């Protein structure tokens, strides 16, 4: 039986991470160790909110079926890193009503097989790129950039560019406006066209010392 630990389910979201009315399903667990993690509970053993099967999740989400169907909305899988639960996501998509749309918020820092498993079901991707400079990426996330780069290459070759939004944050103490612009230029050269640029607001900036 497939089960997945969640850190939360957030209903009635509008125009934040998908079309129409969406429900965010946030998974526990993440392979990155970002200095300014927005959801630190995803890495905390006590941060698990519930553990559900795909059928149990679909039954719970069905309370908003009319909203999803009427607005072209659906379910956004986030986290943590949702692609660590790729088999779970694929099963949810298979048994959910056909009117539901599925959106994915991911760092893409996973082996390619996880991305391939969910790709047939995802209507739009929101990819948290961080920065395309390998040194900046490693310093900020604690991981090498290889998975992100190779998965981005596959994604743009197999998905319409208008179905992918890349998030490029300005990260205090880690990158600059110039770094972000270089990342955007590199990604545009790959064929990406939709970007979300914003600053991280950090009350207590972390040290850059590793």
């Amino acid at each position: 039986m497939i089960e997945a630990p969640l850190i939360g389910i957030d209903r009635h979201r509008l125009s934040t991470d998908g079309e129409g009315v969406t429900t965010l399903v946030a998974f526990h667990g993440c392979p990155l160790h970002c200095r300014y993690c927005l959801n630190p509970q995803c890495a905390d053993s006590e941060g698990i909110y519930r553990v559900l099967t795909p059928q149990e999740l679909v039954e719970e989400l069905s309370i908003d079926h009319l909203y999803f169907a009427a607005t072209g909305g659906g379910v956004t899988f986030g986290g943590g890193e949702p692609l660590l639960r790729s088999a779970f996501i694929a099963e949810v998509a298979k048994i959910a009503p056909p009117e539901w749309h599925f959106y994915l918020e991911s760092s893409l820092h996973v082996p390619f097989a996880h991305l391939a498993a969910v790709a047939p079901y995802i209507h739009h991707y929101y990819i948290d790129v961080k920065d395309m400079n390998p040194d900046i990426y490693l310093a900020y996330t604690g991981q090498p950039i290889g998975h992100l780069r190779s998965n981005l290459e596959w994604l743009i070759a197999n998905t319409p560019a208008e179905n992918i939004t890349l998030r490029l944050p300005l990260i205090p103490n880690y990158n600059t406006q110039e770094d972000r612009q270089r990342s955007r230029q590199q990604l545009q050269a790959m064929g990406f066209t939709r970007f979300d640029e914003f600053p991280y607001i950090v009350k207590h900036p972390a040290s850059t010392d590793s």
Side-chain angles (χ1 to χ4, degrees):
M1 177 186 298
I2 302 176
E3 293 182 327
L6 307 179
I7 61 173
I9 297 175
D10 187 10
R11 299 171 56 207
H12 297 167
R13 296 165 68 89
L14 288 170
S15 303
T16 55
D17 42 21
E19 298 296 325
V21 176
T22 59
T23 292
L24 173 65
V25 176
F27 292 93
H28 186 269
C30 185
L32 301 181
H33 304 284
C34 299
R35 307 306 187 196
Y36 306 137
C37 179
L38 300 179
N39 295 308
Q41 66 271 34
C42 73
D44 186 343
S45 61
E46 298 182 357
I48 296 174
Y49 157 69
R50 295 169 67 189
V51 177
L52 298 177
T53 66
Q55 184 64 46
E56 288 170 337
L57 179 62
V58 169
E59 289 174 0
E60 179 156 338
L61 297 176
S62 293
I63 192 173
D64 290 321
H65 171 74
L66 291 179
Y67 291 110
F68 298 161
T71 66
V75 182
T76 301
F77 297 109
E81 176 48 68
L83 284 180
L84 295 177
R85 312 294 173 181
S86 56
F88 183 97
I89 291 172
E91 184 63 20
V92 168
K94 290 174 185 176
I95 64 177
E99 297 91 344
W100 296 12
H101 289 177
F102 295 101
Y103 307 94
L104 183 75
E105 294 183 333
S106 172
S107 69
L108 291 187
H109 186 80
V110 294
F112 168 69
H114 289 294
L115 176 59
V118 306
Y121 311 106
I122 302 302
H123 291 82
H124 197 99
Y125 296 84
Y126 296 90
I127 306 304
D128 194 2
V129 171
K130 315 296 187 186
D131 198 284
M132 290 298 289
N133 180 304
D135 294 332
I136 295 173
Y137 188 90
L138 177 62
Y140 181 67
T141 68
Q143 296 293 332
I145 201 171
H147 280 320
L148 170 64
R149 190 186 301 277
S150 60
N151 284 330
L152 282 173
E153 290 171 351
W154 183 88
L155 195 60
I156 194 61
N158 292 275
T159 306
E162 60 267 25
N163 293 349
I164 308 166
T165 299
L166 302 184
R167 290 173 171 164
L168 291 174
L170 184 63
I171 311 172
N173 296 324
Y174 287 93
N175 69 356
T176 66
Q177 291 280 11
E178 291 74 20
D179 292 322
R180 183 165 65 176
Q181 183 62 24
R182 282 190 286 268
S183 291
R184 178 166 180 150
Q185 291 170 349
Q186 181 178 343
L187 293 162
Q188 286 175 322
M190 293 171 65
F192 294 99
T193 59
R194 297 187 58 163
F195 298 90
D196 180 14
E197 296 186 359
F198 55 93
Y200 281 168
I201 306 299
V202 182
K203 294 182 179 179
H204 301 288
S207 169
T208 56
D209 295 335
S210 299

